[in-house]
Amino acid sequence: MKTTEWRQDSEYVALVSDLLAMPEVQKLADYTQHHHSNRLDHSISVSYNSYLIAKKHGLNTRATARAGLLHDLFYYDWRTTKFNLGSHAFIHPRVALRNAEKLTELTPMEKDIILKHMWGATSALPKYRESFIVSLVDDYEAINEFFGPAQLKKFRRWRRISLKQRILNQLEK
Ligand SMILES: [Fe+2]
Ligand SMILES: [Fe+2]
């Protein structure tokens, strides 16, 4: 997905500008997320694309945009740092939630979005449709970022159709 389009979307920017101005959020640019992206670009991309879907379906755009932006708010290299308490998939949403709570007040929905964004790899079911959206968009972005532009063309169309269908299935439940 396009990475700079969000800058022209004033409605989106108004929802996240206070968070984007924080050094704790900007610091995410120092971390590689997947092969072709840093963690800040990844977080903005997940946030913005989730926001667009939430908006289209008349859902909570503020919670989706803000929690989407904060969903990976952790400061370690997940490829090298290992934990005794559980897998990266289990631990990092909890770390991100704790870090996010230090920056801003979070609604129950925003907490659920951050905490459940690894749904699929972790078992706790999201409570809100907004949480499903962020989780699905996160999967999609991870694949895009991993493959990079060259290989991506082959996968993009198939993934877009597949993602859309999965989101629609969840929204219908
Ligand atoms: Fe994550
Ligand atoms: Fe993520």
Side-chain angles (χ1 to χ4, degrees):
M1 305 228 183
K2 293 188 185 80
T3 51
T4 52
E5 212 175 277
W6 64 272
R7 292 179 193 275
Q8 274 79 55
D9 189 334
S10 55
E11 196 182 317
Y12 170 74
V13 171
L15 294 174
V16 294
S17 57
D18 61 320
L19 298 174
L20 281 174
M22 292 178 178
E24 292 88 345
V25 173
Q26 288 298 321
K27 207 162 76 178
L28 294 174
D30 298 342
Y31 296 86
T32 301
Q33 183 70 1
H34 303 109
H35 288 343
H36 298 275
S37 121
N38 70 56
R39 197 167 296 155
L40 179 60
D41 287 343
H42 164 77
S43 300
I44 292 171
S45 196
V46 169
S47 166
Y48 186 54
N49 289 303
S50 300
Y51 157 85
L52 290 176
I53 295 170
K55 189 174 166 180
K56 199 170 168 188
H57 289 275
L59 299 174
N60 189 328
T61 52
R62 179 182 161 87
T64 305
R66 290 178 73 82
L69 183 61
L70 301 174
H71 81 282
D72 274 337
L73 194 72
F74 62 93
Y75 309 102
Y76 57 83
D77 185 338
W78 61 273
R79 294 163 304 176
T80 53
T81 305
K82 304 291 172 206
F83 296 97
N84 294 328
L85 293 170
S87 66
H88 170 67
F90 180 80
I91 299 287
H92 85 271
R94 284 156 179 80
V95 175
L97 176 61
R98 207 177 50 205
N99 288 337
E101 281 174 323
K102 291 178 198 159
L103 301 188
T104 184
E105 204 160 311
L106 298 171
T107 64
M109 182 186 285
E110 288 165 347
K111 288 181 190 176
D112 192 71
I113 291 172
I114 296 171
L115 208 52
K116 312 276 180 66
H117 82 264
M118 291 302 291
W119 169 69
T122 57
S123 55
L125 205 64
K127 253 189 218 161
Y128 306 94
R129 286 181 293 178
E130 288 82 348
S131 308
F132 279 111
I133 290 171
V134 171
S135 170
L136 292 169
V137 172
D138 188 39
D139 284 355
Y140 178 81
E141 293 295 329
I143 288 171
N144 277 2
E145 291 156 11
F146 183 83
F147 283 116
Q151 301 98 317
L152 198 60
K153 271 188 183 165
K154 299 177 202 161
F155 292 93
R156 187 170 273 155
R157 196 175 143 71
W158 176 81
R159 286 295 305 180
R160 192 181 296 137
I161 293 164
S162 159
L163 173 74
K164 234 179 184 173
Q165 197 51 54
R166 287 161 71 197
I167 290 171
L168 288 174
N169 289 345
Q170 290 305 332
L171 290 172
E172 278 164 10
K173 279 186 184 167

